[in-house]
Amino acid sequence: MSVPILCAHNLFYDFEESGNSVPVLRDLSLDVKPGQVTSVVGPSGCGKSTLLYLLGLLDKPESGEILLENNSMTQASEQKRTEIRNEKIGFVFQFHFLIKELTVLENVRLPILKSGKSLQSANAQSEEILEKLGLIDKLNRPAFKLSGGEQQRVAIARALSNSPRILLADEPTGNLDSSNSDAVFEILNEFAHEGGITVVMVTHNMDLAQRSDEIIRMMDGRIVT
Amino acid sequence: MLSLELALRYVISRKRPMAMSLLGIVFGICFFVLTQAQTAGFEAFFIRTILGTNSALLISDRFQNSDGVVHEIDENGRTRFLFNSREGSRYRDGIDHPEMVHSALSDYPGITGVSEVLRGHGVMHSISNKSSVELHGIHLHDHQKVSDIGKYVSQGSTNRFATDPMGVLIGSRIFLKLGIQIGDRVSLSGGNENIQLRVSGVFESGVNEIDKNRIYLHLKTARSFLNRPFGGAVFQVSLEDPGNAPAIADQMQSFLNHRVVSWQEREQVWLDVFKALRLSSAITVSTILLLSGLGIFNVFAIMVIEKKRDIAILRSMGFTQSDVSSIFLWQGVIVLILGIILGSLLGILSTYGVSQLPLRIRGIFSTDSFVVHWDPWHYIWAALISTIFVTVATWIPARRASKIEPAKIIRETN
Ligand SMILES: Nc1ncnc2c1ncn2[C@@H]1O[C@H](COP(=O)(O)OP(=O)(O)O)[C@@H](O)[C@H]1O
Ligand SMILES: [Mg+2]
């Protein structure tokens, strides 16, 4: 058994709605194994996205603990969490979140440049990943001129460009047709199995979930087995 | 630098609103320096004129010791005089012992010239007309050191005056009124005797008061005409640093025991008018900069809302709050720097253009075109004021951008 790279212990998360505190996650714990694709499934509103934001250090739980490579994130400063997001975590969402003023290459190299690497190595690293995703000929195109499937692949390239340990994907195929969905899933699968990247993917696509290494089912803010 | 690059992209991709914001700053700065150059130009010209005609300091009237003077023994045991107020002191008309004052001033620091002037009144007659005049008896050589009299002579010459003991330099308005020519004889009455003078030159200072009243004679001639063989004169004194005149006047007054008035005190009313004019035009024009600041605030506030998804994804990939706010601050810096450069250039061009416009002014000085004063401080002030407005206009939206919570925006978007 491999050691989990990402653990959640007893997470509670509420949100305030017109003065009332509504529970979203209730005592949720889970371990994510490295180098695998883990799918998170469950009905709408059960807290999947919330869980992903907490795992990705974009948000903080009311209580409970996140452990990343065995380090507790509870005490980490905002600065530290921001650095960890840059170095170790990549995000892909249903919406691509590409910056339309930038070209494909410029979008993809943002996290690398942010980590302080030189422009040359950022370009080299970005081109390598775009090559793998079959986007090398779109390098200098404005991001907004691509098709939906291409944009999502650029978003994946951006999430992977700074060589993160973990990729968190929230319904990455939600806006794509089935052939584009398949392609995206295959990419994630490949990066997990050959690149050693840990992928956690929220999805409604049961077919894709079945093809992943592990499935986590959620209901009403809890994990069900 | 990554923030700067993003800022540049955002600026370039929003050409129209950015150009409008830029235009506001450019015109604001341009108008600011232009109006300052004009008001300061007229003020400087005015000061040059009053220094050129009446000098920096005027020494007159000996104080009566018994009234206005307070004695004090200083550390060295010498007696000094202190004056509590000029208004409170009594003085006697004119200087009784000009040689003493003259020699006392000879090694006074910062003085570039001293001219003894005997003033009086008379009536000047030509064949066709007469005019009451205020006569100033001078030593030409001394007087040239304390005034621009030579420059103001428009017909005839100071040389002609210098070589003719009965020569007279006449204010341009008197000259016109009397209908005379250079070299003509005129008579001066109202003094000890009627005397005949020869017109050596005409001067035009542009100051109405002077041009329609004043004539210059040789001091000796004036003394005999006014029947004042000794004393009674005043001194015009020019200074290396006319700006320091009030302090020197105070010092000199206690040193000489004579009333000493600086040009600032003499012309205070006009100087205040110019100051008020300069300030009010600065304030008025600053409202253009304020308005363009509001425009920039508006552009950036909207942009922060439009760009909240970009901000969210940047934060998710490791941009800090200050990285995000600096993207917006840089945009402000870009607009500001461009605005300052273009605004200053336009300001220089239009100031030059205005200085070429014809405009005839007589009355408090004489000019035939707009007078402008080139002063780097006008540009510095314009830059400073626009920097303040743009900083505020950018800082608030930038701060708002940095406070955007990425998880919230991402949740809303998906
Ligand atoms: N900040 C928030 N504002 C509004 N609603 C929230 C917020 N956080 C969580 N929720 C609510 O919590 C529940 C879980 O949300 P989410 O994690 O997005 O579920 P899922 O991704 O499984 O559909 C939803 O009902 C959602 O409306
Ligand atoms: Mg969701």
Side-chain angles (χ1 to χ4, degrees), chain A residues 172-218:
Chain A
T173 63
N175 283 338
L176 304 179
D177 60 25
S178 65
S179 75
N180 270 315
S181 297
D182 264 16
V184 164
F185 181 76
E186 279 317 315
I187 292 164
L188 299 183
N189 220 12
E190 198 182 314
F191 273 92
H193 296 151
E194 275 152 41
I197 289 173
T198 305
V199 178
V200 180
M201 174 178 75
V202 172
T203 186
H204 280 126
N205 187 326
M206 282 320 287
D207 173 47
L208 296 185
Q210 298 294 347
R211 284 155 64 189
S212 57
D213 302 302
E214 186 144 355
I215 302 182
I216 292 174
R217 292 172 204 280
M218 282 181 68

Short mmCIF file of all heavy atoms in Angstrom, two decimals, chain A residues 172-218:
data_model
loop_
_atom_site.label_atom_id
_atom_site.label_comp_id
_atom_site.label_asym_id
_atom_site.label_seq_id
_atom_site.Cartn_x
_atom_site.Cartn_y
_atom_site.Cartn_z
N PRO A 172 -14.12 18.48 -15.29
CA PRO A 172 -13.34 19.04 -16.40
C PRO A 172 -13.97 18.76 -17.76
O PRO A 172 -13.67 19.44 -18.73
CB PRO A 172 -11.99 18.32 -16.28
CG PRO A 172 -12.30 17.05 -15.58
CD PRO A 172 -13.42 17.37 -14.63
N THR A 173 -14.85 17.77 -17.81
CA THR A 173 -15.45 17.43 -19.10
C THR A 173 -16.90 17.89 -19.17
O THR A 173 -17.62 17.58 -20.12
CB THR A 173 -15.40 15.91 -19.33
OG1 THR A 173 -16.18 15.27 -18.31
CG2 THR A 173 -13.97 15.39 -19.25
N GLY A 174 -17.31 18.67 -18.16
CA GLY A 174 -18.70 19.07 -18.05
C GLY A 174 -19.24 19.83 -19.25
O GLY A 174 -20.43 19.76 -19.55
N ASN A 175 -18.36 20.57 -19.93
CA ASN A 175 -18.81 21.37 -21.07
C ASN A 175 -18.46 20.73 -22.41
O ASN A 175 -18.63 21.36 -23.45
CB ASN A 175 -18.16 22.76 -21.03
CG ASN A 175 -18.83 23.66 -20.00
OD1 ASN A 175 -19.98 23.41 -19.62
ND2 ASN A 175 -18.11 24.65 -19.54
N LEU A 176 -17.95 19.50 -22.38
CA LEU A 176 -17.42 18.91 -23.61
C LEU A 176 -18.30 17.79 -24.13
O LEU A 176 -19.02 17.14 -23.37
CB LEU A 176 -16.00 18.38 -23.37
CG LEU A 176 -14.99 19.40 -22.83
CD1 LEU A 176 -13.64 18.73 -22.62
CD2 LEU A 176 -14.85 20.59 -23.76
N ASP A 177 -18.23 17.56 -25.45
CA ASP A 177 -18.94 16.41 -26.01
C ASP A 177 -18.18 15.13 -25.66
O ASP A 177 -17.09 15.17 -25.08
CB ASP A 177 -19.11 16.58 -27.52
CG ASP A 177 -17.78 16.69 -28.23
OD1 ASP A 177 -16.76 16.17 -27.70
OD2 ASP A 177 -17.72 17.31 -29.31
N SER A 178 -18.74 13.98 -26.04
CA SER A 178 -18.18 12.74 -25.50
C SER A 178 -16.78 12.44 -26.04
O SER A 178 -15.93 11.95 -25.31
CB SER A 178 -19.11 11.56 -25.75
OG SER A 178 -19.21 11.34 -27.15
N SER A 179 -16.52 12.79 -27.30
CA SER A 179 -15.17 12.48 -27.80
C SER A 179 -14.13 13.37 -27.15
O SER A 179 -13.05 12.92 -26.77
CB SER A 179 -15.12 12.59 -29.33
OG SER A 179 -15.11 13.93 -29.71
N ASN A 180 -14.48 14.68 -26.96
CA ASN A 180 -13.56 15.57 -26.25
C ASN A 180 -13.41 15.13 -24.80
O ASN A 180 -12.32 15.21 -24.24
CB ASN A 180 -14.07 17.01 -26.31
CG ASN A 180 -13.53 17.75 -27.53
OD1 ASN A 180 -12.35 17.65 -27.85
ND2 ASN A 180 -14.42 18.43 -28.24
N SER A 181 -14.51 14.68 -24.18
CA SER A 181 -14.45 14.19 -22.80
C SER A 181 -13.48 13.02 -22.69
O SER A 181 -12.64 12.97 -21.79
CB SER A 181 -15.82 13.72 -22.33
OG SER A 181 -16.71 14.81 -22.32
N ASP A 182 -13.62 12.10 -23.61
CA ASP A 182 -12.73 10.93 -23.63
C ASP A 182 -11.28 11.36 -23.74
O ASP A 182 -10.42 10.85 -23.01
CB ASP A 182 -13.07 10.04 -24.84
CG ASP A 182 -14.00 8.92 -24.41
OD1 ASP A 182 -14.58 9.06 -23.31
OD2 ASP A 182 -14.13 7.95 -25.17
N ALA A 183 -11.04 12.29 -24.66
CA ALA A 183 -9.66 12.75 -24.88
C ALA A 183 -9.09 13.35 -23.60
O ALA A 183 -7.97 13.04 -23.19
CB ALA A 183 -9.63 13.78 -26.00
N VAL A 184 -9.89 14.20 -22.94
CA VAL A 184 -9.43 14.84 -21.71
C VAL A 184 -9.14 13.79 -20.65
O VAL A 184 -8.10 13.82 -19.97
CB VAL A 184 -10.48 15.87 -21.20
CG1 VAL A 184 -10.23 16.25 -19.75
CG2 VAL A 184 -10.45 17.11 -22.09
N PHE A 185 -10.06 12.83 -20.51
CA PHE A 185 -9.85 11.79 -19.50
C PHE A 185 -8.57 11.00 -19.78
O PHE A 185 -7.79 10.71 -18.87
CB PHE A 185 -11.05 10.84 -19.44
CG PHE A 185 -10.86 9.78 -18.39
CD1 PHE A 185 -11.02 10.07 -17.04
CD2 PHE A 185 -10.48 8.47 -18.75
CE1 PHE A 185 -10.82 9.09 -16.07
CE2 PHE A 185 -10.27 7.50 -17.79
CZ PHE A 185 -10.45 7.82 -16.44
N GLU A 186 -8.37 10.68 -21.05
CA GLU A 186 -7.17 9.93 -21.41
C GLU A 186 -5.90 10.70 -21.05
O GLU A 186 -4.92 10.12 -20.58
CB GLU A 186 -7.17 9.59 -22.91
CG GLU A 186 -8.02 8.37 -23.27
CD GLU A 186 -7.83 7.22 -22.26
OE1 GLU A 186 -6.66 6.92 -21.90
OE2 GLU A 186 -8.84 6.63 -21.83
N ILE A 187 -5.94 11.99 -21.25
CA ILE A 187 -4.78 12.83 -20.89
C ILE A 187 -4.50 12.73 -19.39
O ILE A 187 -3.38 12.48 -18.96
CB ILE A 187 -5.03 14.30 -21.28
CG1 ILE A 187 -5.07 14.46 -22.80
CG2 ILE A 187 -3.95 15.21 -20.70
CD1 ILE A 187 -5.67 15.77 -23.27
N LEU A 188 -5.58 12.89 -18.60
CA LEU A 188 -5.40 12.85 -17.15
C LEU A 188 -4.87 11.49 -16.72
O LEU A 188 -3.96 11.38 -15.87
CB LEU A 188 -6.73 13.16 -16.43
CG LEU A 188 -7.34 14.54 -16.72
CD1 LEU A 188 -8.60 14.75 -15.89
CD2 LEU A 188 -6.34 15.65 -16.43
N ASN A 189 -5.45 10.47 -17.29
CA ASN A 189 -5.05 9.10 -16.99
C ASN A 189 -3.56 8.89 -17.26
O ASN A 189 -2.83 8.32 -16.45
CB ASN A 189 -5.87 8.15 -17.87
CG ASN A 189 -6.28 6.91 -17.09
OD1 ASN A 189 -6.15 6.89 -15.86
ND2 ASN A 189 -6.74 5.89 -17.79
N GLU A 190 -3.14 9.40 -18.42
CA GLU A 190 -1.77 9.23 -18.83
C GLU A 190 -0.80 9.97 -17.90
O GLU A 190 0.23 9.43 -17.50
CB GLU A 190 -1.64 9.77 -20.26
CG GLU A 190 -0.41 9.30 -21.00
CD GLU A 190 -0.36 9.93 -22.39
OE1 GLU A 190 -1.41 9.94 -23.08
OE2 GLU A 190 0.71 10.46 -22.73
N PHE A 191 -1.17 11.21 -17.57
CA PHE A 191 -0.29 11.98 -16.67
C PHE A 191 -0.21 11.33 -15.30
O PHE A 191 0.84 11.38 -14.65
CB PHE A 191 -0.75 13.43 -16.56
CG PHE A 191 -0.17 14.32 -17.64
CD1 PHE A 191 -0.85 14.53 -18.83
CD2 PHE A 191 1.08 14.90 -17.46
CE1 PHE A 191 -0.30 15.32 -19.83
CE2 PHE A 191 1.63 15.70 -18.46
CZ PHE A 191 0.94 15.90 -19.66
N ALA A 192 -1.31 10.69 -14.86
CA ALA A 192 -1.29 10.02 -13.57
C ALA A 192 -0.39 8.79 -13.63
O ALA A 192 0.51 8.63 -12.80
CB ALA A 192 -2.71 9.63 -13.16
N HIS A 193 -0.60 7.98 -14.65
CA HIS A 193 0.10 6.69 -14.67
C HIS A 193 1.54 6.81 -15.16
O HIS A 193 2.41 6.08 -14.69
CB HIS A 193 -0.68 5.69 -15.52
CG HIS A 193 -2.03 5.40 -14.92
ND1 HIS A 193 -3.13 5.04 -15.65
CD2 HIS A 193 -2.45 5.47 -13.63
CE1 HIS A 193 -4.17 4.89 -14.86
NE2 HIS A 193 -3.78 5.15 -13.62
N GLU A 194 1.78 7.74 -16.06
CA GLU A 194 3.14 7.84 -16.57
C GLU A 194 3.92 9.00 -15.96
O GLU A 194 5.14 8.93 -15.82
CB GLU A 194 3.12 7.98 -18.11
CG GLU A 194 3.05 6.62 -18.77
CD GLU A 194 2.38 6.68 -20.13
OE1 GLU A 194 2.68 7.65 -20.87
OE2 GLU A 194 1.56 5.80 -20.43
N GLY A 195 3.19 10.04 -15.56
CA GLY A 195 3.88 11.20 -14.98
C GLY A 195 3.89 11.17 -13.46
O GLY A 195 4.49 12.03 -12.84
N GLY A 196 3.19 10.22 -12.86
CA GLY A 196 3.17 10.14 -11.40
C GLY A 196 2.39 11.26 -10.74
O GLY A 196 2.56 11.55 -9.56
N ILE A 197 1.51 11.90 -11.52
CA ILE A 197 0.72 12.98 -10.94
C ILE A 197 -0.56 12.40 -10.32
O ILE A 197 -1.18 11.49 -10.89
CB ILE A 197 0.39 14.01 -12.03
CG1 ILE A 197 1.68 14.76 -12.40
CG2 ILE A 197 -0.68 14.99 -11.58
CD1 ILE A 197 1.54 15.68 -13.58
N THR A 198 -0.91 12.92 -9.18
CA THR A 198 -2.12 12.46 -8.50
C THR A 198 -3.29 13.29 -8.99
O THR A 198 -3.26 14.51 -8.89
CB THR A 198 -1.96 12.64 -6.97
OG1 THR A 198 -0.77 11.96 -6.57
CG2 THR A 198 -3.16 12.10 -6.24
N VAL A 199 -4.30 12.62 -9.52
CA VAL A 199 -5.44 13.33 -10.08
C VAL A 199 -6.68 13.07 -9.24
O VAL A 199 -7.01 11.92 -8.96
CB VAL A 199 -5.70 12.90 -11.54
CG1 VAL A 199 -6.93 13.62 -12.10
CG2 VAL A 199 -4.49 13.18 -12.41
N VAL A 200 -7.33 14.15 -8.80
CA VAL A 200 -8.64 14.01 -8.16
C VAL A 200 -9.62 14.73 -9.06
O VAL A 200 -9.46 15.92 -9.34
CB VAL A 200 -8.66 14.63 -6.75
CG1 VAL A 200 -10.05 14.48 -6.13
CG2 VAL A 200 -7.60 14.01 -5.87
N MET A 201 -10.62 13.95 -9.55
CA MET A 201 -11.52 14.51 -10.55
C MET A 201 -12.97 14.37 -10.10
O MET A 201 -13.44 13.27 -9.83
CB MET A 201 -11.31 13.77 -11.88
CG MET A 201 -12.29 14.16 -12.97
SD MET A 201 -11.96 13.30 -14.51
CE MET A 201 -12.59 11.68 -14.15
N VAL A 202 -13.65 15.50 -9.98
CA VAL A 202 -15.09 15.46 -9.73
C VAL A 202 -15.76 15.28 -11.08
O VAL A 202 -15.41 15.96 -12.04
CB VAL A 202 -15.57 16.77 -9.07
CG1 VAL A 202 -17.09 16.81 -9.00
CG2 VAL A 202 -14.95 16.94 -7.69
N THR A 203 -16.70 14.34 -11.16
CA THR A 203 -17.36 14.15 -12.46
C THR A 203 -18.79 13.64 -12.30
O THR A 203 -19.15 13.03 -11.29
CB THR A 203 -16.55 13.19 -13.36
OG1 THR A 203 -17.16 13.14 -14.65
CG2 THR A 203 -16.49 11.79 -12.77
N HIS A 204 -19.58 13.99 -13.27
CA HIS A 204 -20.92 13.40 -13.36
C HIS A 204 -20.95 12.28 -14.37
O HIS A 204 -21.96 11.60 -14.53
CB HIS A 204 -21.94 14.48 -13.78
CG HIS A 204 -22.35 15.34 -12.65
ND1 HIS A 204 -22.26 16.72 -12.67
CD2 HIS A 204 -22.85 15.02 -11.42
CE1 HIS A 204 -22.67 17.21 -11.52
NE2 HIS A 204 -23.04 16.19 -10.74
N ASN A 205 -19.86 12.12 -15.08
CA ASN A 205 -19.79 11.13 -16.15
C ASN A 205 -19.42 9.77 -15.54
O ASN A 205 -18.26 9.49 -15.23
CB ASN A 205 -18.73 11.60 -17.15
CG ASN A 205 -18.69 10.74 -18.39
OD1 ASN A 205 -18.91 9.53 -18.31
ND2 ASN A 205 -18.39 11.35 -19.52
N MET A 206 -20.42 8.92 -15.34
CA MET A 206 -20.22 7.65 -14.65
C MET A 206 -19.28 6.74 -15.43
O MET A 206 -18.52 5.97 -14.84
CB MET A 206 -21.56 6.95 -14.39
CG MET A 206 -22.32 7.52 -13.23
SD MET A 206 -21.26 7.98 -11.81
CE MET A 206 -20.86 6.36 -11.16
N ASP A 207 -19.35 6.84 -16.75
CA ASP A 207 -18.47 6.03 -17.59
C ASP A 207 -17.00 6.32 -17.29
O ASP A 207 -16.21 5.41 -17.07
CB ASP A 207 -18.81 6.33 -19.06
CG ASP A 207 -17.82 5.65 -19.99
OD1 ASP A 207 -17.55 4.46 -19.77
OD2 ASP A 207 -17.32 6.35 -20.91
N LEU A 208 -16.68 7.64 -17.23
CA LEU A 208 -15.30 8.02 -16.92
C LEU A 208 -14.93 7.59 -15.51
O LEU A 208 -13.83 7.11 -15.26
CB LEU A 208 -15.11 9.53 -17.08
CG LEU A 208 -15.30 10.10 -18.49
CD1 LEU A 208 -14.95 11.59 -18.50
CD2 LEU A 208 -14.43 9.36 -19.50
N ALA A 209 -15.87 7.80 -14.58
CA ALA A 209 -15.61 7.43 -13.19
C ALA A 209 -15.25 5.95 -13.09
O ALA A 209 -14.31 5.56 -12.39
CB ALA A 209 -16.82 7.75 -12.32
N GLN A 210 -16.00 5.13 -13.83
CA GLN A 210 -15.74 3.69 -13.79
C GLN A 210 -14.34 3.36 -14.29
O GLN A 210 -13.72 2.40 -13.83
CB GLN A 210 -16.75 2.94 -14.70
CG GLN A 210 -18.21 3.08 -14.30
CD GLN A 210 -18.53 2.42 -12.96
OE1 GLN A 210 -17.71 1.65 -12.44
NE2 GLN A 210 -19.68 2.73 -12.40
N ARG A 211 -13.86 4.18 -15.25
CA ARG A 211 -12.54 3.88 -15.83
C ARG A 211 -11.40 4.40 -14.97
O ARG A 211 -10.23 4.16 -15.28
CB ARG A 211 -12.44 4.50 -17.23
CG ARG A 211 -13.23 3.70 -18.27
CD ARG A 211 -13.65 4.56 -19.45
NE ARG A 211 -12.49 5.06 -20.20
CZ ARG A 211 -12.58 5.96 -21.17
NH1 ARG A 211 -13.77 6.46 -21.51
NH2 ARG A 211 -11.50 6.36 -21.80
N SER A 212 -11.69 5.17 -13.89
CA SER A 212 -10.60 5.68 -13.05
C SER A 212 -10.18 4.64 -12.02
O SER A 212 -10.83 3.62 -11.85
CB SER A 212 -11.02 6.99 -12.40
OG SER A 212 -12.19 6.81 -11.65
N ASP A 213 -9.07 4.91 -11.33
CA ASP A 213 -8.50 3.92 -10.43
C ASP A 213 -9.32 3.76 -9.16
O ASP A 213 -9.35 2.71 -8.55
CB ASP A 213 -7.07 4.34 -10.06
CG ASP A 213 -6.19 4.48 -11.27
OD1 ASP A 213 -6.05 3.50 -12.02
OD2 ASP A 213 -5.68 5.60 -11.50
N GLU A 214 -9.96 4.84 -8.76
CA GLU A 214 -10.70 4.78 -7.49
C GLU A 214 -11.89 5.73 -7.59
O GLU A 214 -11.81 6.78 -8.21
CB GLU A 214 -9.77 5.22 -6.35
CG GLU A 214 -10.38 5.07 -5.00
CD GLU A 214 -9.36 4.64 -3.94
OE1 GLU A 214 -8.18 4.39 -4.29
OE2 GLU A 214 -9.77 4.60 -2.77
N ILE A 215 -12.98 5.33 -6.97
CA ILE A 215 -14.16 6.19 -6.97
C ILE A 215 -14.53 6.52 -5.53
O ILE A 215 -14.55 5.64 -4.67
CB ILE A 215 -15.37 5.50 -7.64
CG1 ILE A 215 -15.02 5.11 -9.08
CG2 ILE A 215 -16.59 6.40 -7.61
CD1 ILE A 215 -16.18 4.48 -9.82
N ILE A 216 -14.77 7.83 -5.29
CA ILE A 216 -15.28 8.24 -3.98
C ILE A 216 -16.70 8.74 -4.21
O ILE A 216 -16.93 9.62 -5.05
CB ILE A 216 -14.40 9.34 -3.36
CG1 ILE A 216 -13.03 8.77 -3.01
CG2 ILE A 216 -15.07 9.95 -2.15
CD1 ILE A 216 -12.03 9.80 -2.52
N ARG A 217 -17.66 8.16 -3.48
CA ARG A 217 -19.05 8.58 -3.64
C ARG A 217 -19.43 9.47 -2.47
O ARG A 217 -19.13 9.17 -1.32
CB ARG A 217 -19.97 7.34 -3.65
CG ARG A 217 -19.79 6.49 -4.87
CD ARG A 217 -20.57 5.18 -4.76
NE ARG A 217 -19.95 4.17 -5.61
CZ ARG A 217 -20.15 4.10 -6.92
NH1 ARG A 217 -20.95 4.95 -7.52
NH2 ARG A 217 -19.52 3.16 -7.63
N MET A 218 -20.09 10.57 -2.80
CA MET A 218 -20.50 11.51 -1.76
C MET A 218 -22.00 11.68 -1.75
O MET A 218 -22.68 11.52 -2.76
CB MET A 218 -19.86 12.89 -1.98
CG MET A 218 -18.41 12.97 -1.54
SD MET A 218 -17.76 14.62 -1.80
CE MET A 218 -18.69 15.55 -0.59
#
